[in-house]
Amino acid sequence: MNFTYSERKTFFNDQSVLVPSEHEISFDAYLIDSDFLVRPNRYGEFIAQYQPLDMGAMHMLYEAGERALSEVLMSMGSDSMKEPRPNYEKRDGSLFTSQLFAPKLNIDPDDTDGPFFQPSPQVSVRANFHDREDGMIYLHAQYIDFYEKTPLPDLGRPERECDIDF
């Protein structure tokens, strides 16, 4: 696609409009995929996938995402080349964060006995929405707080029988 000089100038003058502190959000979730949370993938991105713990958190996230999208749409000029759209949800409904910097963690990711290596650990995430110059809106994780490791049930003891009277 060939652009004229003025179109190219307009395209490269489009800038990010979302201020991180104004679009900050916190939610509790299960950490589904953390393969590239501590070390970047081959493209230099730090990516993690989450499933919010409850529908209230999911609803809050989608509302905040819609507000971010609305702000980007309202800030566009008539000559803008942006195509705003969200880029923080997978097809299965789970959320993901994608960024070029590592988020801060409250644990040592090299501790193999820690909650990082627990299957689907519960975390509290502080994140913000960020838009690129082309209009794509991303969710960036600033801080991830891992809950303490959940103890496994002791299968050696017999379960107590419940005596329920009706």
Side-chain angles (χ1 to χ4, degrees):
M1 184 175 224
N2 293 329
F3 294 107
T4 65
Y5 176 73
S6 63
E7 289 173 333
R8 195 175 315 123
K9 185 178 173 189
T10 301
F11 181 73
F12 291 113
N13 282 341
D14 280 341
Q15 297 179 0
S16 298
V17 296
L18 299 178
V19 178
S21 62
E22 293 176 4
H23 293 279
E24 192 172 279
I25 189 165
S26 296
F27 60 94
D28 293 330
Y30 292 108
L31 182 61
I32 304 300
D33 183 8
S34 60
D35 290 344
F36 300 110
L37 180 64
V38 179
R39 289 165 192 78
N41 64 10
R42 64 182 173 172
Y43 302 109
E45 300 169 322
F46 294 86
I47 300 172
Q49 183 179 354
Y50 311 89
Q51 182 62 47
L53 288 178
D54 58 7
M55 289 305 293
M58 189 73 129
H59 182 70
M60 179 183 63
L61 278 160
Y62 285 123
E63 279 189 1
E66 287 296 318
R67 277 194 313 272
L69 180 64
S70 298
E71 187 170 329
V72 172
L73 285 169
M74 288 187 298
S75 71
M76 289 174 43
S78 60
D79 59 348
S80 178
M81 299 283 288
K82 284 187 179 184
E83 294 180 27
R85 59 188 184 280
N87 191 23
Y88 49 83
E89 181 184 9
K90 293 200 175 255
R91 290 180 191 221
D92 63 0
S94 61
L95 300 168
F96 68 95
T97 56
S98 176
Q99 58 216 37
L100 298 175
F101 59 91
K104 293 184 180 175
L105 308 175
N106 71 327
I107 60 164
D108 179 14
D110 296 326
D111 178 15
T112 57
D113 292 331
F116 185 75
F117 289 98
Q118 178 180 344
S120 299
Q122 291 185 9
V123 295
S124 177
V125 181
R126 189 174 70 210
N128 66 283
F129 290 96
H130 178 72
D131 65 316
R132 279 194 331 202
E133 288 81 9
D134 64 354
M136 294 289 281
I137 298 173
Y138 292 93
L139 187 60
H140 288 186
Q142 299 169 359
Y143 184 76
I144 300 174
D145 187 12
F146 283 78
Y147 294 163
E148 289 186 28
K149 191 170 182 177
T150 307
L152 295 173
D154 184 12
L155 301 176
R157 310 187 280 192
E159 293 290 323
R160 293 187 317 171
E161 291 185 28
C162 293
D163 187 19
I164 301 174
D165 294 330
F166 289 100

